[in-house]
């Protein structure tokens, strides 16, 4: 989103939104690149910040087409899962916000399609709207993590349970699951992708 | 599930991401697809026997220029479209250029030949073999590249699928060119261009179904 040159000296709402976006862009991008380098705290903070923006975005989108706002939390979680499992598709030379927005919009359209809504309902918007509302009023999503985990193959479930839920190191998890350390890492990656796939499959039915 | 719980799970023990992994996965899929296509072609048909003749070599180079002219830009575009929002920065309309070029060359070649030769120039000796071989041999490269793209995050599945089909078709046609002895430009335009376009069309139709994430 660009502010046209010479659009007036006074600070218009448009310009305020633009400057807020620049600030969050720089901050979020910093968190993202730190996370890509293996900084867990930065990655967690990124997902937390994104959850607020995504919740605001989906709540307004869904309300506009008279959909239940509780679906928003499902979508927030799907996008967070996608941002995490597909973070290697972000190129650090590019802007970060359009990358997240593309994922958020893709998931919105996919959601409406899966739940058999008419695509005429898909609102027209742009990347600016993603950052328009920061909403931290959280409800629980319809997904039950432990029930979802039970649908994964044992080796993936064990790796995720140890490293991601119990906070063990990869070395400890390898001993616990009886595999190598590299297998644990691969199983976490595959397991989280499989988790997203299970969610998608449940939505279709 | 609470979103906070999901965030603590995803944010626990985060691994470093290899920045080059993305491009490497996609390009190695294209290379593997190409090797499979070439291997299948050499195994079933073998290389054309008349390669010591100058005319045959020129035609082979022309065919390879056409398929490479599709393969190289399509691979670059695929890498762009495999990132979320990539379709906003890239127009794949340029991919029509190699097809337009070969059709122009074919038209010039036809107009400079007597019309009694047209039939032979267009259908060649092996049009049916060409029509069947290129799409068939494209199947395995197509599957390999789709597998790799499923690990990325394209947000325009129709265009991404079309590109995968285009690459698979071009890779397959490259292999077929080593065997094929029909050298007229109208033949290349119609049967090479047509089958590659067909692969791309199939990819566009299958994309939303195979690449969904």
């Amino acid at each position: 989103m660009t502010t046209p040159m010479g659009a007036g000296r006074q600070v218009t709402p448009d310009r305020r939104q633009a400057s807020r976006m620049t600030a969050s862009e720089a901050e979020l991008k910093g968190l993202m690149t730190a996370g890509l380098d293996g900084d867990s705290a930065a990655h967690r903070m990124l997902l937390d910040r994104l959850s607020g923006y995504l919740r605001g975005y989906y709540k307004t989108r869904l309300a506009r087409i008279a959909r239940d706002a509780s679906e928003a939390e499902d979508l927030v979680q799907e996008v967070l899962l996608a941002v995490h499992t597909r973070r290697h598709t972000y190129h650090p030379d590019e802007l970060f916000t359009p990358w997240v927005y593309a994922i958020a919009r893709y998931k919105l359209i996919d959601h409406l399609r899966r739940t058999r809504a008419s695509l005429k309902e898909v609102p027209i918007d742009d990347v600016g709207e993603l950052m328009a509302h920061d909403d931290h009023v959280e409800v629980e999503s319809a997904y039950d993590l432990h029930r979802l985990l039970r649908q994964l193959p044992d080796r993936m479930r064990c790796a995720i349970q140890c490293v991601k839920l119990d906070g063990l190191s990869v070395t400890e998890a390898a001993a616990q699951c009886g595999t190598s350390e590299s297998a644990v890492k691969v199983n976490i990656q595959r397991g989280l992708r499989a988790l997203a796939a299970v969610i998608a499959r449940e939505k279709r039915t | 599930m609470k979103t906070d719980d999901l965030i603590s799970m995803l944010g626990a023990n985060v691994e470093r991401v290899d920045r080059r992994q993305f491009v490497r996965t996609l390009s190695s899929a294209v290379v593997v697809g190409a090797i499979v296509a070439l291997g299948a072609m050499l195994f079933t048909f073998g290389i054309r026997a008349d390669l010591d003749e100058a005319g045959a070599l020129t035609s082979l180079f022309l065919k390879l220029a056409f398929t490479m002219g599709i393969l190289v830009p399509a691979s670059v575009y695929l890498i762009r479209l495999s990132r979320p929002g990539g379709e906003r920065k890239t127009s794949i309309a340029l991919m029509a250029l190699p097809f337009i070029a070969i059709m122009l060359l074919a038209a010039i070649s036809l107009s400079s030949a007597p019309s009694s030769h047209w039939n032979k120039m267009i259908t060649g000796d092996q049009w049916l073999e060409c029509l069947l071989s290129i799409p068939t041999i494209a199947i395995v490269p197509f599957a390999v590249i789709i597998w790799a793209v499923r690990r990325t995050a394209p947000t325009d599945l129709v265009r991404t699928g079309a590109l995968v089909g285009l690459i698979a078709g071009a890779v397959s046609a490259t292999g077929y060119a080593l065997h094929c002895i029909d050298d007229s430009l109208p033949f290349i335009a119609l049967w090479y261009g047509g089958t590659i376009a067909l692969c791309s069309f199939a990819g566009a139709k299958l994309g939303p179904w195979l690449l969904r994430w």
Side-chain angles (χ1 to χ4, degrees):
Chain A
M1 175 159 187
T2 53
T3 315
M5 298 296 281
R9 283 213 163 68
Q10 79 278 29
V11 180
T12 58
D14 229 24
R15 184 166 287 192
R16 252 201 315 271
Q17 196 188 5
S19 75
R20 191 173 60 214
M21 260 187 70
T22 330
S24 1
E25 163 64 33
E27 190 203 351
L28 295 175
K29 184 173 179 162
L31 292 171
M32 178 68 175
T33 40
L36 286 172
D37 286 331
D39 182 340
S40 297
H43 191 59
R44 209 159 36 232
M45 195 184 289
L46 172 78
L47 297 178
D48 188 54
R49 293 291 308 274
L50 286 180
S51 71
Y53 291 130
L54 289 166
R55 193 173 292 114
Y57 173 73
Y58 284 132
K59 274 188 186 169
T60 49
R61 283 328 85 161
L62 292 170
R64 207 173 291 172
I65 55 173
R67 284 298 201 96
D68 190 0
S70 71
E71 292 172 23
E73 205 64 31
D74 299 2
L75 277 162
V76 170
Q77 298 187 358
E78 280 172 56
V79 173
L80 293 180
L81 203 51
V83 163
H84 178 81
T85 54
R86 299 185 190 251
R87 62 205 176 110
H88 63 285
T89 64
Y90 171 65
H91 195 298
D93 291 350
E94 308 269 348
L95 288 173
F96 176 69
T97 341
W99 182 82
V100 177
Y101 171 70
I103 296 180
R105 185 157 172 83
Y106 172 82
K107 286 291 181 185
L108 175 64
I109 293 171
D110 190 60
H111 173 81
L112 295 178
R113 208 171 262 157
R114 281 185 205 280
T115 51
R116 298 199 174 75
S118 156
L119 283 184
K120 289 197 186 96
E121 291 178 354
V122 176
I124 295 164
D125 55 27
D126 67 35
V127 62
E129 316 241 359
L130 178 61
M131 321 294 280
H133 307 277
D134 192 0
D135 186 335
H136 282 275
V137 186
E138 183 187 327
V139 292
E140 285 204 34
S141 74
Y143 311 130
D144 179 339
L145 181 60
H146 292 278
R147 198 180 51 76
L148 292 173
L149 280 176
R150 273 200 296 276
Q151 301 185 43
L152 299 187
D154 284 342
R155 55 184 202 289
M156 294 180 193
R157 190 179 51 234
C158 181
I160 291 177
Q161 180 73 44
C162 288
V163 177
K164 292 294 199 178
L165 294 173
D166 301 343
L168 299 183
S169 72
V170 173
T171 320
E172 291 165 326
Q176 186 101 31
C177 305
T179 51
S180 68
E181 290 182 26
S182 57
V184 168
K185 289 182 193 170
V186 170
N187 281 330
I188 291 172
Q189 261 188 25
R190 291 206 183 136
L192 291 177
R193 271 208 307 263
L195 212 58
V198 172
I199 288 176
R201 203 162 50 230
E202 290 195 344
K203 254 185 154 166
R204 219 169 306 169
T205 50
Chain B
M1 170 170 42
K2 285 209 183 92
T3 300
D4 276 346
D5 294 342
L6 179 71
I7 292 174
S8 352
M9 179 182 84
L10 296 177
N13 291 316
V14 172
E15 290 286 331
R16 219 187 126 262
V17 171
D18 184 352
R19 300 275 167 89
R20 285 163 306 180
Q21 179 206 338
F22 175 81
V23 173
R24 206 167 45 211
T25 312
L26 288 178
S27 40
S28 41
V30 173
V31 170
V32 168
I35 292 172
V36 170
L38 285 180
M41 199 57 84
L42 293 179
F43 184 72
T44 43
F45 294 123
I47 298 183
R48 62 189 288 180
D50 58 350
L51 267 188
D52 44 347
E53 289 166 35
L57 213 52
T58 316
S59 306
L60 177 60
F61 277 127
L62 185 73
K63 288 174 191 165
L64 293 185
F66 175 56
T67 57
M68 288 297 157
I70 296 169
L71 181 57
V72 174
S75 305
V76 172
Y77 284 148
L78 180 67
I79 287 171
R80 292 197 200 156
L81 257 67
S82 296
R83 299 185 193 274
E87 68 277 6
R88 284 164 183 259
K89 286 171 253 163
T90 311
S91 160
I92 65 167
L94 280 177
M95 285 315 307
L97 281 182
F99 293 94
I100 294 171
I102 196 79
M103 282 193 285
L104 279 178
L105 288 175
I108 294 168
S109 151
L110 279 180
S111 63
S112 58
S115 56
S116 56
H117 287 196
W118 285 5
N119 194 19
K120 172 76 177 150
M121 284 169 82
I122 291 173
T123 54
D125 293 321
Q126 306 280 357
W127 67 271
L128 187 62
E129 186 190 270
C130 181
L131 177 66
L132 296 177
S133 304
I134 292 181
T136 311
I137 289 172
I139 291 175
V140 175
F142 183 79
V144 173
I145 301 166
I146 286 284
W147 176 87
V149 175
R150 281 177 59 87
R151 264 136 199 82
T152 67
T155 46
D156 186 333
L157 304 187
V158 174
R159 286 201 178 83
T160 311
L163 279 177
V164 176
L166 207 53
I167 295 172
V171 152
S172 170
T174 305
Y176 187 73
L178 297 175
H179 154 73
C180 167
I181 48 160
D182 285 305
D183 291 337
S184 84
L185 282 164
F187 185 91
I188 302 174
L190 182 60
W191 303 110
Y192 281 59
T195 46
I196 296 173
L198 190 71
C199 293
S200 184
F201 178 75
K205 287 283 155 203
L206 291 172
W209 181 57
L210 292 174
L211 296 173
R212 203 173 202 186
W213 52 281

